[in-house]
Amino acid sequence: MSDMQLTPIEIGLTAAIVAIENHEPQILISRGADGLAGLPFGPFDAVSHRTFEIGLRAWVEQQAGLRLGYVEQLYTFGDRGRHAEAGDTGAHIVSIGYLALTRPAGGELVANAASFAPWYRFFPWEDWREQPPAIIARDIIPALTKWAEEDTPETTRALPRKDRVRFYFGLDGAPWDEERVLDRYELLYEAGLIEEARRDGRPAALARKTLPPLGTSMRFDHRRILATGIARLRAKLKYRPVVFELLPADFTLTELQHTVEAISGRHLHKQNFRRLVEMEALVEPTGAMSTQTGGRPAALYRFRREVLQERPAPGLRVRSRR
């Protein structure tokens, strides 16, 4: 038997909890003693928690006073150094990330422990609902272009830097793919353009005198986990009716469209969207009208659950105007 001492491993449970409020995607955050925003998280206790998901739900209820509904596992994040501090000799943290969807809580969250914040605060380059975000042309592309032109051998990547910048950020005729949230974040991290890369001691970041203001940083690797959650949700809109987990039981078609736009970060053509909703038969009218629209009363609809038995992949394969 080898005498080599193994690094102890701890399992952490981290949740990207999404809600929609005033047509904006919100993410539940908590703040630690360091003042940084983070996702709700806690260690897995194999004695108290029969499963990872039970443990996650327990931590979220304890930290935020919120009982979760829809939950799915995202990914296991175990890269060395992504959850460590300089000189850290403690156990290596392996984080199991989860995506959870909820509606704005009727009660109050635990005071001073957790609150909802717009997720585009952390990813301002992902919001294309009005127009391409100015931060891309102003700050991101010049810095990435300069980095991509550096004469550094790349032997572990299928695509060179210039191609990844072009594909991920939709340059030179390449389309903007809203699902590549994690790819874009990882590219910014690799180029040393975000605070997390500096905090983790990445050479590309340490070599820079200043960093551009690319969104609000988060604790540990929580922004990476959030990027994974956003990408998963954007993709899942197209083949699962998850959007209805974020809406009240009765809603207008305008509310449905605004919710899809908020998640995808894209502006949708109104009439095309309504034709798609009708074609997919995901909703049915309630017979009631909403007077909360600020204008003419609008018909109320509800999710038609029978669609789950009618076909294997009911979703909204929307196309944006760009």
Side-chain angles (χ1 to χ4, degrees):
M1 182 178 294
S2 173
D3 293 332
M4 182 178 64
Q5 185 174 359
L6 299 178
T7 301
I9 298 290
E10 290 185 4
I11 298 176
L13 306 170
T14 308
I17 303 172
V18 180
I20 298 292
E21 191 167 5
N22 297 324
H23 309 318
E24 289 297 324
Q26 307 280 329
I27 193 76
L28 186 66
I29 63 169
S30 60
R31 294 189 182 275
D34 56 8
L36 290 174
L39 303 175
F41 74 102
F44 172 68
D45 184 343
V47 175
S48 302
H49 305 147
R50 181 170 56 84
T51 68
F52 291 148
E53 185 176 319
I54 289 174
L56 177 83
R57 292 177 182 275
W59 277 116
V60 171
E61 187 167 359
Q62 177 180 327
Q63 293 181 16
L66 184 65
R67 292 193 175 186
L68 296 179
Y70 178 92
V71 170
E72 71 168 272
Q73 190 175 127
L74 282 174
Y75 190 75
T76 299
F77 302 84
D79 293 5
R80 185 65 178 170
R82 301 292 298 246
H83 204 300
E85 297 178 355
D88 191 356
T89 59
H92 177 52
I93 305 294
V94 174
S95 293
I96 300 177
Y98 284 82
L99 171 67
L101 308 180
T102 188
R103 298 176 179 90
E108 294 295 325
L109 297 174
V110 175
N112 301 321
S115 61
F116 280 99
W119 80 20
Y120 291 122
R121 178 184 301 173
F122 307 98
F123 297 92
W125 56 88
E126 294 291 340
D127 187 1
W128 286 59
R129 286 173 292 177
E130 297 295 331
Q131 59 187 3
I135 194 173
I136 295 179
R138 185 186 66 232
D139 298 319
I140 292 177
I141 298 307
L144 282 179
T145 300
K146 183 178 180 181
W147 169 77
E149 291 173 347
E150 294 175 358
D151 187 20
T152 302
E154 295 182 86
T155 58
T156 60
R157 299 284 185 175
L159 292 173
R161 291 178 178 180
K162 289 183 180 180
D163 285 344
R164 284 187 284 142
V165 173
R166 181 165 67 91
F167 291 143
Y168 298 167
F169 282 92
L171 304 180
D172 301 328
W176 173 269
D177 185 346
E178 66 270 16
E179 294 179 29
R180 287 193 174 273
V181 187
L182 182 60
D183 289 328
R184 286 186 281 272
Y185 175 78
E186 292 287 22
L187 194 65
L188 294 172
Y189 183 94
E190 182 186 347
L193 293 172
I194 56 175
E195 180 59 35
E196 285 88 339
R198 183 194 294 276
R199 201 168 60 216
D200 292 345
R202 302 301 177 182
L206 297 178
R208 299 181 182 277
K209 293 182 180 180
T210 60
L211 298 180
L214 300 185
T216 302
S217 65
M218 301 184 81
R219 303 182 68 192
F220 306 131
D221 59 350
H222 288 193
R223 195 154 49 147
R224 185 188 186 209
I225 296 173
L226 178 54
T228 307
I230 295 173
R232 173 74 63 84
L233 184 53
R234 285 180 168 183
K236 204 150 193 174
L237 285 177
K238 300 171 184 177
Y239 63 90
R240 286 288 184 272
V242 291
V243 65
F244 300 104
E245 300 286 344
L246 297 164
L247 286 162
D250 298 341
F251 49 84
T252 67
L253 293 182
T254 298
E255 289 173 327
L256 175 59
Q257 178 174 339
H258 285 328
T259 300
V260 174
E261 289 176 330
I263 295 299
S264 66
R266 305 299 296 265
H267 179 72
L268 305 174
H269 187 280
K270 180 178 178 179
Q271 295 305 320
N272 289 347
F273 178 80
R274 295 198 172 192
R275 279 194 291 269
L276 177 63
V277 171
E278 181 180 356
M279 181 179 67
E280 295 292 339
L282 293 174
V283 303
E284 60 186 4
T286 66
M289 305 290 286
S290 171
T291 58
Q292 306 300 315
T293 59
R296 294 171 56 187
L300 286 168
Y301 291 79
R302 57 175 167 249
F303 173 49
R304 197 175 68 84
R305 296 194 174 276
E306 291 82 359
V307 75
L308 296 172
Q309 283 78 47
E310 292 171 357
R311 58 183 189 274
L316 288 168
R317 294 172 176 82
V318 294
R319 293 184 179 181
S320 70
R321 293 177 61 179
R322 296 187 180 88

